Amino acid sequence: MGAELSLRAVRHRRGGRDVLSIDRLDVTAGERLAVLGPNGAGKTTLLRLLAAVEPPTAGRITVDALDTASGGVDLLRRTAYVTQRAGLLSTSALRNVELPLQWRKVPRRQRRQLAMDALDRLRVAHLADRPARALSGGEQQRVSLARALALDPEVLLLDEPAAGLDAQSRTVFFADLDRALGDRAITVVQVSHRADEALHFADRVIVLLDGRIHQLGTPDELNRRPVDTDVAALVGYENLIDAEVGPDGTVLVGEAPTGLTTDHPPGPVTVAAFASGVRLLPADWPGLPVQVTRVSPGPGHRTVAVAGVVSLLAHVPLGAGTLRAGLAVRATFDPALSTILPRP
Amino acid sequence: MTAEPVYEVLARSATVSLTATVIASLLGISLGTALALAGLPGRRLLTAVVNTGMAVPTVVVGLIVALLLWRSGPLGDLNLIYTVRGMIIAQVAIATPLITGITMAALQLLPPELPEQLRSLGANRRQLVLRLWIEARLPLLAAAMAGFGHAISEVGSATLVGGNIHGQTQVMTTAIVENVSRGEFGTAIVYGVILLVLAFVVNSLLASIQQRGAVWARN
C-alpha cells in the first residue's frame, strides 16, 4: 500500500538562493505524480527532500504522518529512490538487488527469491550474475529499478530514470516500468523534463519552474489548458504566436483569420498550437498567408516549416499532397490541438 | 660484536613495517573516511594537517617521536625509546597521513550520488561506510601499499627512535647505512637486494589482490 505525502511551506536554499518553494502539496496514497520542469527548476531537489536524504531549509514534509526531518532509517526504508544515474555497486546485478534486502534483515533464501523476482519483472533476470557496472545503460537502469521494487516500497521516487537512454529504449523501459508496477498501489513521484514521459505516466502532473509550482493538474488538463506560454512550451506546443481577439471572438493575426474562435475578451492573446494541429491549405483559402520554407521527413509525417505573417512548424501526414519550398499556402489551426492563452 | 643473521634483521624489518602498516591503515582509513564523509568541525584544518604530514621528511617525524619518547621526554616513562615498539610508533606516524590522504581522495572520487543512494536504500551508517570501503577497495589497497612502502624504506626515524642496536632494533635500512659507513659495500648491496625482494613480494601480493578486484569489476 502506498503512503501519503504532504508538503507544507517547504523552502530550500542552496548557494544563497531559494531553489525550492512549495506552499502546499498533497500526494494521495497510490497516486502517480509526475514533476515536469526544465533543467534547474528544482525537480531533483524536491525528490531529494521527499527521499529524506537532506532536510528542507524550512517547512515540513511528511510521509504518512512521519516527518522526514526526524524519521531516520525507518522512514528511509519506506521509500525507494532511483537516481538519474543507476548508482549500482561494483558487484553482480543480483547482489545489487539483494544487498538492501540484507540491510533490512530479510532471510537469505527469501531475499534471493525477492531479488530474482524483481529482476525478472524488469526482464533482466538473465543478467543476474553479470557485474552490474559492465551492463549497458538501459540494463543498469532496469537493475536499479529492480533494486528499488524488490524492497516493496510505499513510495517510489524516480529521478529521470530513462535520461541516458535512446528514444526506443526509453519507450521499452517505461512499458516495463508500467508492467512491473502492475496494480501495486505504490505512491510514485517521477521527475522528468520530457512531457511525453510525464504525461504518459501520471495521474497528476506538477509543472515546476524556478522552484515553484506553476501548474498542477491532470495530464489532460495540462495538454488542453496550459496556464501560460512557459507551460505550453514544456508540454510540447511547438507553435506560440501572438494574435488578437476580435470583437466577435474571432482570433486573428493581423487581418488574417486563424480558424479559431474564443470567448476571451477582445485584445491580445497567444495562440499555442501543436505542429500536428496546423493545417496547410491552398493559397486561395481563408487563413494566414505563408510560404513553405523547408520540408523535412519525420517519423510518420513530414515536418513543414512555413514563414510569412508568422513562422510555424506543421506536421503533415505522409502522402498528403505535394509540398515544396517556395509554395504559397494558407495556415489555420485545429481547435482540438490549439489553445488560446492570455498575453500579459 | 657478533653479526646478527640477516634473516633476523629481515624478520624485524618486516614485523615493524607490517605492524605499522596495519595500525596506520586502521587509523588512516578511519580518519580519511571521517574527513571525506562526515561534516567534522575543523575539517579544513585537519585536511591541511594531513596534507602537510604527507610531505614531512621521515627524519623530522623520527626526531619528533624520539623527543617524545626520550627518557626525559613527556612519554619517557613508557620506556619505548630504542625499542621495536617505539619504531612501530614512529612508522605509524609516518604512514598514517599518507593513508589518510589517499583514503580521503578515494572516497571523494566515488560517484557523488552513491552515499545518498545507499542511504535511501536503507543502509545505516555502518553499512554505508562498509559498502563505500568495498567500492573504493582498489585505491584503499593502494593506500596501504604506499604506507608499507613508506614504512619499510625509511631510515631516519628507525635510526633516531630505534638506535640501530644489533640484535634488538636494527632493521634492513639502518643495517645498510651502517655497512656503507663502514665501507662494506658488498654487504650493503646484499641487504639492499633482500629489502627490495621483501618490498616486491609484499607489494606483489597486494597488487594481485587489487588487480583481481579490478578485472572482476571490469568484466
Side-chain angles (χ1 to χ4, degrees):
Chain A
M1 183 61 191
E4 285 181 7
L5 305 176
S6 157
L7 287 83
R8 293 288 181 274
V10 170
R11 303 279 178 277
H12 199 64
R13 288 180 71 79
R14 191 179 299 129
R17 70 180 189 98
D18 283 336
V19 289
L20 194 71
S21 179
I22 294 179
D23 291 329
R24 184 189 178 99
L25 176 66
D26 293 297
V27 185
T28 56
E31 184 178 1
R32 291 188 188 184
L33 179 79
V35 182
L36 178 63
N39 293 337
K43 306 186 297 292
T44 298
T45 302
L46 171 61
L47 224 53
R48 287 164 54 83
L49 299 186
L50 288 172
V53 292
E54 65 176 313
T57 309
R60 190 160 188 263
I61 300 174
T62 56
V63 176
D64 282 341
L66 277 174
D67 194 323
T68 55
S70 56
V73 169
D74 288 340
L75 178 90
L76 287 168
R77 288 183 175 178
R78 298 179 69 171
T79 63
Y81 177 29
V82 178
T83 53
Q84 217 173 99
R85 290 166 66 179
L88 297 180
L89 302 166
S90 56
T91 177
S92 70
L94 177 62
R95 187 80 186 116
N96 264 279
V97 182
E98 273 190 310
L99 202 61
L101 294 165
Q102 185 181 329
W103 292 336
R104 288 161 207 233
K105 303 198 189 313
V106 175
R108 187 188 174 89
R109 186 171 294 180
Q110 193 185 344
R111 70 175 182 251
R112 174 66 48 105
Q113 186 61 49
L114 286 169
M116 284 308 294
D117 284 351
L119 288 168
D120 190 43
R121 281 207 299 275
L122 271 302
R123 299 194 299 140
V124 282
H126 62 290
L127 303 172
D129 294 325
R130 295 269 301 277
R133 295 227 181 121
L135 302 177
S136 73
E139 290 165 344
Q140 288 197 31
Q141 280 299 4
R142 282 191 168 76
V143 173
S144 174
L145 198 55
R147 180 171 64 176
L149 289 176
L151 301 172
D152 196 18
E154 293 172 45
V155 180
L156 179 62
L157 304 167
L158 303 171
D159 188 359
E160 309 215 29
L165 308 184
D166 59 53
Q168 194 179 358
S169 307
R170 244 192 339 258
T171 307
V172 177
F173 177 83
F174 279 108
D176 286 345
L177 170 62
D178 264 342
R179 204 187 52 251
L181 286 172
D183 52 2
R184 294 168 168 215
I186 302 174
T187 307
V188 185
V189 180
Q190 188 211 339
V191 150
S192 181
H193 69 278
R194 294 177 59 98
D196 54 347
E197 288 175 8
L199 299 178
H200 158 77
F201 164 85
D203 299 319
R204 284 193 306 162
V205 181
I206 61 175
V207 176
L208 212 56
L209 291 170
D210 295 326
R212 292 171 187 276
I213 295 178
H214 214 63
Q215 186 168 358
L216 168 61
T218 63
D220 204 42
E221 284 167 351
L222 241 74
N223 237 336
R224 288 173 177 274
R225 293 191 297 279
V227 291
D228 56 24
T229 53
D230 288 334
V231 177
L234 263 176
V235 168
Y237 282 90
E238 290 94 343
N239 300 297
L240 298 166
I241 59 168
D242 292 344
E244 295 281 334
V245 177
D248 60 349
T250 311
V251 181
L252 306 162
V253 174
E255 298 293 317
T258 58
L260 301 173
T261 56
T262 179
D263 50 9
H264 272 75
V269 290
T270 298
V271 173
F274 288 111
S276 53
V278 177
R279 293 172 181 152
L280 299 180
L281 307 169
D284 52 351
W285 287 38
L288 309 176
V290 289
Q291 199 171 39
V292 175
T293 56
R294 186 167 48 85
V295 181
S296 51
H301 62 261
R302 281 177 293 168
T303 300
V304 182
V306 297
V309 289
V310 290
S311 293
L312 299 169
L313 278 182
H315 287 171
V316 177
L318 294 173
T322 308
L323 287 166
R324 61 180 192 286
L327 186 69
V329 292
R330 297 283 168 134
T332 61
F333 301 108
D334 179 346
L337 294 167
S338 313
T339 188
I340 311 294
L341 305 170
R343 185 140 48 102
Chain B
M1 193 186 331
T2 313
E4 189 182 9
V6 67
Y7 64 83
E8 285 187 11
V9 182
L10 181 65
R12 189 176 302 116
S13 271
T15 305
V16 169
S17 298
L18 284 172
T19 309
T21 303
V22 169
I23 296 169
S25 295
L26 291 174
L27 291 173
I29 290 175
S30 303
L31 183 58
T33 303
L35 286 171
L37 301 179
L40 288 181
R43 182 181 154 178
R44 279 190 184 182
L45 181 67
L46 275 170
T47 305
V49 170
V50 167
N51 290 338
T52 308
M54 290 168 77
V56 171
T58 58
V59 69
V60 175
V61 177
L63 179 63
I64 294 167
V65 174
L67 289 172
L68 289 171
L69 300 184
W70 201 259
R71 307 247 185 264
S72 55
L75 302 175
D77 291 344
L78 299 174
N79 289 322
L80 291 170
I81 192 77
Y82 303 143
T83 66
V84 164
R85 281 191 293 168
M87 292 165 74
I88 291 172
I89 290 171
Q91 293 202 352
V92 167
I94 289 164
T96 299
L98 194 67
I99 296 174
T100 304
I102 298 175
T103 299
M104 199 164 63
L107 292 175
Q108 285 170 340
L109 282 173
L110 287 175
E113 73 279 3
L114 199 55
E116 65 187 38
Q117 175 108 57
L118 296 180
R119 279 194 65 215
S120 75
L121 287 167
N124 61 30
R125 194 184 298 256
R126 188 182 58 80
Q127 290 161 339
L128 173 75
V129 167
L130 192 64
R131 197 61 230 183
L132 292 178
W133 282 349
I134 293 172
E135 288 303 300
R137 60 192 178 276
L138 303 183
L140 292 189
L141 265 172
M145 285 159 71
F148 175 75
H150 224 44
I152 191 101
S153 63
E154 79 81 33
V155 65
S157 79
T159 308
L160 286 167
V161 179
N164 192 32
I165 302 169
H166 289 218
Q168 289 181 39
T169 60
Q170 188 177 53
V171 288
M172 296 298 282
T173 49
T174 56
I176 291 170
V177 173
E178 185 188 293
N179 278 293
V180 168
S181 67
R182 287 209 306 250
E184 295 177 9
F185 292 103
T187 312
I189 289 170
V190 170
Y191 272 65
V193 170
I194 292 170
L195 185 60
L196 210 62
V197 170
L198 172 67
F200 180 78
V201 167
V202 172
N203 280 306
S204 297
L205 203 68
L206 289 169
S208 117
I209 298 169
Q210 194 187 39
Q211 288 313 307
R212 230 178 299 167
V215 167
W216 193 92
R218 206 168 42 240
N219 295 330

